[in-house]
């Protein structure tokens, strides 16, 4: 039995690998994709999601556009990592996967209503679309199996000293989703910084030898270069597929049930995620937080999943 999953994303290089892991892993059934403005504006992220599926030969999975920007802030983008169109590096093919006429909220609603079991949502960008969905369709919340999100950090940030990009772009949306009562898992930088694209990892993925792997290698070339320039990390951290791994192979990621809050109003710390491992705040645990990754198992599942694509 595979888990039906909706991927909500802002592709972005690492989002593409999250889509491929969700599409290619036998434990998952990718049932819908929604795009959000994040790494680059929505016109690019919604197109890039379609490009990612087109390259991988994944036809028949609907892709819808959602929010252009955060609930109550101006969108901040990350062209400095992902390039002007969000997928710097390869020449992008014209996507043959169409953009669904429905918006993200409608597509998620229809997907949940059509499913015979609760559907998981993996969010790999600012979590605006999920917050909007929960606000507009609270009647369907019970049909969501769980939400796994790449974002946040138990320690340092990557856009300000304490805020990770996805959390920082739309912290109000994050607060809504975490407060919804739906099982929520945060996969933050403290773990995704272990998913480093070393030379050996690049060889392992390229050795898959299909069209998807070749396109992926061009993406990784660009992504590692910008991570080196911006963060001094030549082995760029491939954040987003780690969130998919939580669902695909739960034994590959260690989780702790704890208290998660997000800073909405700090003068220097907006978007920082406060993870109260020691129970100092005496608040009820409200989230699962990733604390460890079986790195070799992760890259193995990603390579195997890519090998099942075109
Ligand atoms: C997150 O920000 C984006 O640039 C990546 O796609 C990832 O989702 C990492 O902070
Ligand atoms: Ca992303």
């Amino acid at each position: 039995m595979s888990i039906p999953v909706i991927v909500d994303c802002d592709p972005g290089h690492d989002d593409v690998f999250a889509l491929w892991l969700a599409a290619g892993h036998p434990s998952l059934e990718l049932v819908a994709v929604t795009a959000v403005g994040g790494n680059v504006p929505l016109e690019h992220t919604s197109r890039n999601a379609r490009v990612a599926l087109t390259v991988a030969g994944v036809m028949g999975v609907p892709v819808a556009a959602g929010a252009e920007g955060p609930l109550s802030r101006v969108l901040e983008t990350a062209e400095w990592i992902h390039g002007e169109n969000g997928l710097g590096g390869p020449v992008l093919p014209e996507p043959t996967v169409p953009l669904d006429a429905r918006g993200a909220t409608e597509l998620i609603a229809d997907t949940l209503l059509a499913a015979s079991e609760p559907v998981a949502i993996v969010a790999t960008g600012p979590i605006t679309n999920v917050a909007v969905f929960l606000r507009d369709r609270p009647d369907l919340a019970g049909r969501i199996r769980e939400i796994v999100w790449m974002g946040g950090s138990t320690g340092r940030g990557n856009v300000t000293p304490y805020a990770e990009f996805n959390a920082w772009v739309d912290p109000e949306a994050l607060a809504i989703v975490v407060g919804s009562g739906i099982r929520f898992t945060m996969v933050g930088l403290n773990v995704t910084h272990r998913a480093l694209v070393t030379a050996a990892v690049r060889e392992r993925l390229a050795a898959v030898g299909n069209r998807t792997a070749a396109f992926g290698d061009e993406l990784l070339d660009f992504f590692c270069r910008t991570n080196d320039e911006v963060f001094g990390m030549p082995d760029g951290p491939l954040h987003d597929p780690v969130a998919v791994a939580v669902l695909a192979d739960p034994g590959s990621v260690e989780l702790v049930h704890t208290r998660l809050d997000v800073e909405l109003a700090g003068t220097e710390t907006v978007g920082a995620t406060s993870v109260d491992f020691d129970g100092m705040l005496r608040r009820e645990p409200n989230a699962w937080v990733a604390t460890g990754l079986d790195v070799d198992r992760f890259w193995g599942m990603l390579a195997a999943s890519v090998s099942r694509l075109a």
Side-chain angles (χ1 to χ4, degrees):
M1 277 292 283
S2 54
I3 301 171
V5 59
I6 298 169
V7 174
D8 179 61
C9 56
D10 64 336
H13 296 68
D14 50 335
D15 302 79
V16 168
F17 286 85
L19 287 166
W20 290 345
L21 181 54
H25 199 287
S27 299
L28 302 178
E29 186 197 357
L30 181 63
V31 289
V33 174
T34 52
V36 64
N39 283 322
V40 285
L42 182 66
E43 66 179 285
H44 287 305
T45 60
S46 55
R47 187 172 192 278
N48 291 347
R50 295 158 52 217
V51 167
L53 298 185
T54 299
V55 168
V58 179
M59 303 300 169
V61 175
V63 179
E68 287 185 2
L71 294 180
S72 54
R73 295 174 190 263
V74 174
L75 175 64
E76 303 275 358
T77 51
E79 283 84 0
W80 28 282
I81 292 291
H82 298 280
E84 282 304 311
N85 67 2
L87 290 183
V91 174
L92 302 186
E94 193 57 41
T96 54
V97 171
L99 185 64
D100 202 280
R102 293 167 288 184
T105 294
E106 205 184 340
L107 175 58
I108 296 171
D110 288 350
T111 304
L112 296 180
L113 285 166
S116 57
E117 61 182 296
V119 177
I121 298 178
V122 177
T124 61
I127 201 159
T128 320
N129 283 346
V130 182
V132 168
F133 178 79
L134 293 174
R135 183 193 67 197
D136 292 352
R137 295 303 306 264
D139 55 309
L140 298 181
R143 292 177 182 259
I144 299 173
R145 169 193 166 114
E146 63 179 291
I147 298 164
V148 184
W149 171 68
M150 188 282 131
S153 170
T154 63
R156 305 285 290 180
N158 64 355
V159 65
T160 72
Y162 288 101
E164 178 278 334
F165 178 78
N166 290 338
W168 177 74
V169 169
D170 200 348
E172 285 77 17
L174 178 59
I176 288 171
V177 176
V178 174
S180 69
I182 298 168
R183 180 185 163 112
F184 183 83
T185 302
M186 174 182 116
V187 181
L189 298 177
N190 52 297
V191 165
T192 65
H193 276 190
R194 298 183 196 178
L196 296 175
V197 182
T198 61
V201 163
R202 279 192 63 183
E203 274 174 36
R204 188 169 178 178
L205 293 175
V208 169
N210 60 11
R211 180 176 78 196
T212 305
F215 187 85
D217 194 52
E218 288 188 72
L219 287 177
L220 293 177
D221 196 54
F222 184 96
F223 186 67
C224 289
R225 203 148 16 89
T226 54
N227 271 278
D228 191 16
E229 284 161 15
V230 175
F231 297 117
M233 296 178 81
D235 301 338
L238 203 64
H239 311 277
D240 292 339
V242 184
V244 180
V246 170
L247 282 178
D249 179 8
S252 65
V253 185
E254 282 165 35
L255 304 178
V256 172
H257 197 215
T258 185
R259 180 74 199 188
L260 168 64
D261 293 284
V262 57
E263 181 64 276
L264 301 177
T267 53
E268 304 294 336
T269 53
V270 166
T273 43
S274 160
V275 180
D276 189 13
F277 284 129
D278 301 316
M280 290 186 253
L281 301 173
R282 300 193 187 288
R283 296 179 189 154
E284 282 299 308
N286 62 348
W288 294 86
V289 171
T291 55
L293 175 69
D294 185 330
V295 174
D296 189 59
R297 193 157 148 180
F298 169 72
W299 292 120
M301 90 174 83
L302 188 58
S305 298
V306 168
S307 79
R308 292 188 196 95
L309 303 172

